[in-house]
Amino acid sequence: MTYGTNPEERYSYGEVSDADRRDFLKAFGVIAGGGIAGATLRDLRAEVSSGAAEGLAEMGEAVRGGLTGTLDAALLNEQLAGLEERFELLPELDSMGIPEQGASAYQELTTAAWVINDHLAEVGFFASAEENLPAFTPDHIEETTRQLLHIEELPTALSEIGFAEGEQTALVTNIVNAREQLSWWMNTPDYPPADVVEDGVVYEFVAPLHQRGAEGALLWIDGLDYHLWQNKVLITEEMLDRGLWDVKSMLGGYYLLGSAVRDLAGGEISDESLSALISGGTAITIIGQEFLRNDAIQITDPMRAPREVSP
């Protein structure tokens, strides 16, 4: 299932142009007026109505009720604080450039997230999310994004982990503008089985949708130390810059997912916000890893650094 959009032209690397803003608003049936490049989340909130949240609320309640274990509030608070600290390492990675052989700078970004991830899998969170939330259909993307825009605390939460206003806007607009990247990520039971088609799946070996998105992002980040070092003669500054934004996006998406579950454990989140942050956070992790692959992993000849010519 594809949505007929061109994500390569619509993806924002931390800065939303007026054209990006217009594309985003057009998806909600809003004809944008005068240009305000660099629009903030609050600007977009004023232009996009919240819509009905009853469906998201019912889904969030079902996710809450579908857990098979008890969320550990203390663990989630501790590890989410650890994840917040990892964002402070991103400027160092920017200055570092290509890692040295054997370095683990990128892997260090994900240590707290992996602890959260293991706990969520253990209590049945990912299974409940897949069972009770739709995949990334056009309607669900629209409903989720509307709700995200109207979560009052979202700009402050993202600001506290180092996302400037333009970067906050890019995280949310990319969910809609780059939604083509979400179109092939389906709930596990919706993939054809291996005993029916050649490239089908064996269900017991495929994780739930939101777990695949979250863990995939962490695995891509973990592999960057070796990948960048191994391919250092091919890597350009543009690859590093774009790749670092993709990494920051994935961590930001994981943070939104993790903070929603932390607030769920503390009884401090509405059901509609829970649904929106699970789906929205997962969407951001998926889009980030899809673009990381294009930006810095699958290096084509036109992308690569110029070959050195021997004298």
Side-chain angles (χ1 to χ4, degrees):
M1 177 176 60
T2 59
Y3 301 146
T5 60
N6 185 346
E8 300 292 340
E9 296 178 356
R10 297 164 179 252
Y11 183 69
S12 299
Y13 289 92
E15 184 175 337
V16 179
S17 68
D18 189 53
D20 296 332
R21 167 183 162 269
R22 289 175 184 274
D23 285 338
F24 175 80
L25 293 174
K26 185 178 179 181
F28 295 95
V30 177
I31 304 302
I36 50 169
T40 67
L41 289 181
R42 292 181 176 87
D43 294 328
L44 296 179
R45 181 188 303 161
E47 299 191 71
V48 177
S49 64
S50 60
E54 291 84 357
L56 289 175
E58 291 175 3
M59 295 173 197
E61 182 180 11
V63 171
R64 186 193 304 263
L67 299 179
T68 56
T70 302
L71 291 168
D72 186 332
L75 178 147
L76 291 168
N77 273 300
E78 178 183 355
Q79 297 304 324
L80 205 62
L83 180 56
E84 291 172 4
E85 293 174 358
R86 297 305 190 273
F87 285 91
E88 299 173 5
L89 301 177
L90 293 174
E92 297 178 18
L93 292 179
D94 189 24
S95 300
M96 176 186 70
I98 296 174
E100 297 292 334
Q101 182 178 7
S104 59
Y106 281 93
Q107 291 180 54
E108 291 171 9
L109 296 175
T110 66
T111 51
W114 277 116
V115 177
I116 296 171
N117 201 80
D118 290 344
H119 179 56
L120 298 188
E122 184 179 82
V123 301
F125 169 79
F126 291 120
S128 182
E130 181 176 75
E131 182 177 353
N132 294 295
L133 295 172
F136 295 105
T137 63
D139 285 347
H140 188 56
I141 292 171
E142 178 182 330
E143 291 169 2
T144 292
T145 310
R146 284 183 186 275
Q147 184 63 30
L148 284 177
L149 285 176
H150 287 270
I151 295 177
E152 292 283 346
E153 303 83 4
L154 185 60
T156 300
L158 290 173
S159 177
E160 289 175 351
I161 55 173
F163 282 87
E165 286 188 334
E167 293 177 325
Q168 297 170 25
T169 308
L171 280 184
V172 176
T173 58
N174 281 341
I175 296 173
V176 172
N177 288 354
R179 61 191 179 276
E180 193 78 14
Q181 303 290 26
L182 301 172
S183 65
W184 295 105
W185 288 68
M186 299 185 290
N187 286 334
T188 300
D190 294 333
Y191 289 102
D195 58 357
V196 174
V197 297
E198 184 177 349
D199 58 350
V201 303
V202 179
Y203 295 121
E204 62 184 295
F205 298 130
V206 181
L209 169 60
H210 306 82
Q211 185 172 0
R212 276 181 274 129
E215 289 186 2
L218 301 183
L219 288 169
W220 279 112
I221 295 170
D222 283 350
L224 279 174
D225 292 295
Y226 181 75
H227 171 78
L228 294 175
W229 169 78
Q230 184 187 43
N231 295 282
K232 59 185 176 183
V233 298
L234 306 177
I235 302 296
T236 65
E237 286 298 322
E238 182 180 42
M239 289 182 201
L240 290 172
D241 290 344
R242 290 190 166 196
L244 194 59
W245 165 251
D246 298 330
V247 167
K248 187 174 183 178
S249 295
M250 289 187 282
L251 288 177
Y254 202 101
Y255 179 81
L256 293 181
L257 174 66
S259 63
V261 181
R262 174 200 60 195
D263 293 345
L264 173 60
E268 300 174 351
I269 190 170
S270 68
D271 290 327
E272 59 268 26
S273 292
L274 176 63
S275 293
L277 287 167
I278 294 171
S279 293
T282 303
I284 293 168
T285 65
I286 289 172
I287 291 168
Q289 61 193 279
E290 292 278 0
F291 273 89
L292 177 66
R293 182 183 62 189
N294 296 338
D295 291 334
I297 303 298
Q298 295 180 345
I299 303 172
T300 62
D301 203 54
M303 290 170 58
R304 60 156 294 164
R307 292 176 173 83
E308 294 185 4
V309 179
S310 301

